[in-house]
Amino acid sequence: MITTPNQTQLMQGNQAMTHGALYAGARFYAGYPITPSSEIAEECSVLMPKLGGMYIQMEDEIASIAAVVGASLAGAKAFTATSGPGFSLMQENLGFAVMAEVPCVVINVQRSGPSTGLATKPAQADVMQARWGRHGDQSVVALCPSTVAECFGLTVQAFNFSEKYRIPVILVADEVVAHMREGFRIPEDGEVTVIERKRPTCHPRRYKPFETDIDGVAPLASYGSDYVFHVSSSMHGPDGFSNNDPVNATRKIEQLHRKVEFHRDEIVITRSFDIEDADVLLVAYGITARAARAAALAGREAGIKAGVLQLLTLWPFADKEIGLASERVQTIIVPEMNYAGQVAGEVQKVVGPDRDIRRVNRYNGQIITPDDILEVMTR
Amino acid sequence: MTTPRMSKKSRYEIILAGAGGQGLILSAIILSEAAIREGKNVVQTQSYGIAARGGLSEAEVIIDTEEILFQQVRNPDIILAMTEGAFAKFRSLARTGTLIFYDETLAAGQHGDNLLGLPFTRSARDLGHGASANLIALGAIAARTEVVHMENLIAVVTRTFSVQALQTNMKAVLMGEDLISGQVFRN
């Protein structure tokens, strides 16, 4: 078959996340449309059936994530997309996916809250919700795009991490990046690595769904196959059945953390711009990273040596990278669209309480501009 | 009188402003796609609110030969104002060199440097398709500024509309071009 190479086309962030998911092999979407993520549902409803996949509009977000977890256990790469109110509703079953080690991807296109808040306006205030939204001890992986290309690439990456480590991965986008359009070329098949989950090779009778290999991850069979297995949200042993033994619980909680911790160098993705000789370090993520890069450039034109460390992975936190980048700088600035400085606080933990971190915060539904950052830079 | 043209630039920042429902976001998309055909980098954004129809609607396009960092327009080169409200909001920028296209049908009697009033809505009515005023404006902008080449604009319009809608919309773009070639400029 002759295939024509994909051409650069104008694409919206939400569309790019959808195409990223499909490229990664997602063939199941269950969701409840909500601004500013609705275009993902819309696009999936058109494209999924064409690829032999399934699109279901559920009655709410609780059911959506439940369906996603079920579909994944049945062998499909599955995902959903939502925004703040829906993401809140998904937390309980997302916790189930953590405990039962079910790969899945949840896209949370952040809008301004709390609650229904400014429903059509952007925010970056769900950073801590992504990390700690569920009860109980756990690690989590969360990625954050700033361009349409990153919307695609990080969605593929989210599925890869999710499948490789049997974890839910959260893609933390925002209204601006989700609705923005840029030129983007969908990669050809094979151009970007796509990872499949490990499947059991043992005899079905020998299969234990939580018996981990050396990498801390157990092969995952599919419901409906010859492998019959039990999945529980309660503390369980390698066979999947309830197990209240403290030795077992210790092992399980450690394993949930360590399968992420041990691979953190692979999972933590950052990009740096002009940080080698920088006196001023801007730590930024999502749409605000673009304003930060523009501000750093303007700063350089005004004689201030500024550089940017962009966090594409929010969780696990880029502590090593920030520690290194901040060693020689005089000033650290963290711009973000929330009041509390959700990432600034984490940066403070890395650099210690004695170092001053300048914060740039907006929480009125308006974006942070390069001038907002420059003003703090030149203060 | 020959048509004065903007000197060709490596970067353009454009605002298309008017009322929700006038097709300004679609115009921004068409303009962006035409720029992509020219191998340019493009970022297109819009004010995204709860009022879809009526109310002020703004779409932005940045076209650049270099990577576009900040995604929003800061120093507009070109503004299209399709309502009096939009014109009032942006007209002061003409003083700083921004070229402002406005709908003469709606905001008549405006004069000044860099103000370019053209009868977009009236022409659309003449065409028998009031909703195509946005494409008439796009044709005029391309003809006057060369922000994108007319041939690329036409190629995108051809691809965008169904066979039934294409003829009217293509006429609209060419009508916009004619508005410029027939224009005696005040500035």
Side-chain angles (χ1 to χ4, degrees):
Chain A
M1 197 175 79
I2 300 163
T3 55
T4 50
N6 292 330
Q7 291 186 335
T8 301
Q9 55 182 307
L10 191 70
M11 192 177 279
Q12 197 183 48
N14 275 336
Q15 271 180 307
M17 287 186 267
T18 309
H19 282 283
L22 297 173
Y23 186 95
R27 291 297 179 268
F28 184 90
Y29 181 96
Y32 188 84
I34 179 172
T35 298
S37 76
S38 298
E39 291 83 0
I40 298 174
E42 195 181 341
E43 195 85 351
C44 271
S45 72
V46 174
L47 296 177
M48 271 295 185
K50 289 183 181 167
L51 293 168
M54 189 176 282
Y55 167 89
I56 311 179
Q57 179 164 329
M58 302 299 293
E59 68 268 33
D60 61 27
E61 289 87 346
I62 298 173
S64 300
I65 182 73
V68 163
V69 168
S72 180
L73 284 171
K77 288 187 181 180
F79 78 120
T80 187
T82 188
S83 187
F87 191 51
S88 294
L89 287 173
M90 288 182 182
Q91 296 302 324
E92 186 180 15
N93 278 331
L94 202 52
F96 180 98
V98 171
M99 186 59 153
E101 302 185 60
V102 183
C104 59
V105 171
V106 174
I107 298 172
N108 173 28
V109 182
Q110 295 172 100
R111 67 187 211 185
S112 184
S115 194
T116 35
L118 293 163
T120 61
K121 303 295 176 197
Q124 297 180 301
D126 301 349
V127 177
M128 285 300 172
Q129 187 188 23
R131 178 65 188 90
W132 299 110
R134 302 143 306 279
H135 57 275
D137 240 354
Q138 64 200 264
S139 62
V140 79
V141 172
L143 311 178
C144 183
S146 72
T147 65
V148 169
E150 286 171 7
C151 281
F152 181 94
L154 288 184
T155 306
V156 177
Q157 201 61 258
F159 274 94
N160 284 348
F161 291 151
S162 165
E163 296 289 322
K164 192 170 177 185
Y165 300 119
R166 275 186 71 171
I167 49 170
V169 174
I170 303 159
L171 197 69
V172 186
D174 59 72
E175 186 275 329
V176 181
V177 80
H179 282 148
M180 182 174 68
R181 290 181 181 86
E182 290 184 287
F184 177 66
R185 183 184 67 82
I186 297 176
E188 303 295 333
D189 286 345
E191 212 178 315
V192 177
T193 305
V194 169
I195 294 173
E196 307 296 331
R197 67 185 66 169
K198 252 189 318 187
R199 309 269 181 184
T201 51
C202 63
H203 190 277
R205 256 184 303 179
R206 298 266 172 277
Y207 178 55
K208 289 181 180 166
F210 297 96
E211 192 168 63
T212 57
D213 294 338
I214 188 85
D215 61 355
V217 183
L220 182 58
S222 300
Y223 277 5
S225 70
D226 292 341
Y227 294 81
V228 177
F229 61 104
H230 189 75
V231 171
S232 171
S233 61
S234 293
M235 186 55 73
H236 47 264
D239 60 2
F241 288 95
S242 280
N243 185 330
N244 288 348
D245 176 14
V247 174
N248 175 69
T250 303
R251 187 200 61 80
K252 175 79 185 182
I253 294 297
E254 287 175 354
Q255 179 247 340
L256 287 180
H257 282 88
R258 286 176 185 167
K259 65 177 175 175
V260 174
E261 281 168 14
F262 285 176
H263 302 99
R264 75 72 82 196
D265 285 351
E266 179 202 347
I267 297 169
V268 175
I269 309 165
T270 59
R271 287 179 78 190
S272 54
F273 305 94
D274 299 328
I275 61 171
E276 297 75 17
D277 66 338
D279 296 326
V280 176
L281 176 69
L282 297 162
V283 180
Y285 59 99
I287 197 67
T288 307
R290 301 179 75 122
R293 286 185 62 195
L297 218 60
R300 290 225 169 224
E301 279 165 18
I304 301 166
K305 285 183 186 165
V308 177
L309 184 70
Q310 181 194 347
L311 312 181
L312 289 97
T313 300
L314 292 178
W315 305 110
F317 199 63
D319 46 9
K320 262 201 265 183
E321 293 75 5
I322 291 168
L324 265 174
S326 61
E327 261 175 11
R328 289 184 310 275
V329 302
Q330 288 150 13
T331 308
I332 303 167
I333 303 175
V334 184
E336 52 189 326
M337 284 189 282
N338 60 61
Y339 176 85
Q342 295 187 12
V343 162
E346 294 302 301
V347 175
Q348 189 84 64
K349 274 196 212 167
V350 173
V351 300
D354 298 334
R355 289 189 72 176
D356 179 41
I357 291 178
R358 297 187 189 175
R359 299 177 180 205
V360 182
N361 303 98
R362 252 187 202 278
Y363 30 85
N364 57 359
Q366 292 182 319
I367 52 165
I368 292 172
T369 66
D371 287 344
D372 293 337
I373 299 169
L374 263 179
E375 195 187 310
V376 172
M377 199 191 295
T378 51
R379 193 165 64 196
Chain B
M1 186 174 177
T2 53
T3 306
R5 291 181 188 278
M6 256 180 138
S7 52
K8 197 82 181 157
K9 298 174 70 174
S10 63
R11 178 184 172 96
Y12 289 94
E13 300 190 10
I14 303 128
I15 296 176
L16 309 178
Q22 281 183 320
L24 293 163
I25 293 175
L26 177 63
S27 301
I29 290 171
I30 290 172
L31 183 60
S32 301
E33 287 181 340
I36 285 174
R37 282 178 66 89
E38 296 175 9
K40 304 279 179 58
N41 294 305
V42 177
V43 174
Q44 188 274 319
T45 57
Q46 60 270 312
S47 60
Y48 191 86
I50 43 181
R53 230 161 247 277
L56 185 68
S57 164
E58 279 179 47
E60 297 186 358
V61 179
I62 301 174
I63 298 170
D64 202 330
T65 52
E66 305 286 323
E67 183 185 9
I68 298 163
L69 298 181
F70 188 54
Q71 71 280 357
Q72 310 298 143
V73 168
R74 286 193 285 172
N75 302 300
D77 301 288
I78 300 164
I79 292 174
L80 169 66
M82 290 294 280
T83 59
E84 279 188 83
F87 185 71
K89 179 176 175 183
F90 291 115
R91 77 161 295 168
S92 64
L93 288 176
R95 278 200 307 270
T96 61
T98 306
L99 180 58
I100 301 183
F101 293 79
Y102 68 94
D103 193 339
E104 209 176 43
T105 323
L106 304 172
Q110 308 289 340
H111 302 287
D113 288 349
N114 297 318
L115 295 181
L116 187 47
L118 294 166
F120 301 129
T121 306
R122 199 179 67 225
S123 304
R125 279 202 295 264
D126 292 347
L127 194 63
H129 190 61
S132 61
N134 60 335
L135 287 176
I136 296 174
L138 213 49
I141 289 171
R144 171 68 199 270
T145 64
E146 291 185 3
V147 58
V148 292
H149 290 296
M150 191 56 76
E151 65 197 79
N152 288 316
L153 189 59
I154 286 169
V156 174
V157 167
T158 307
R159 201 178 60 197
T160 302
F161 295 98
S162 65
V163 180
Q164 299 92 319
L166 180 58
Q167 202 184 4
T168 310
N169 285 304
M170 190 62 77
K171 268 189 196 162
V173 172
L174 298 176
M175 193 177 241
E177 188 182 25
D178 289 345
L179 285 180
I180 294 300
S181 48
Q183 174 82 13
V184 178
F185 284 92
R186 296 190 187 94
N187 51 343

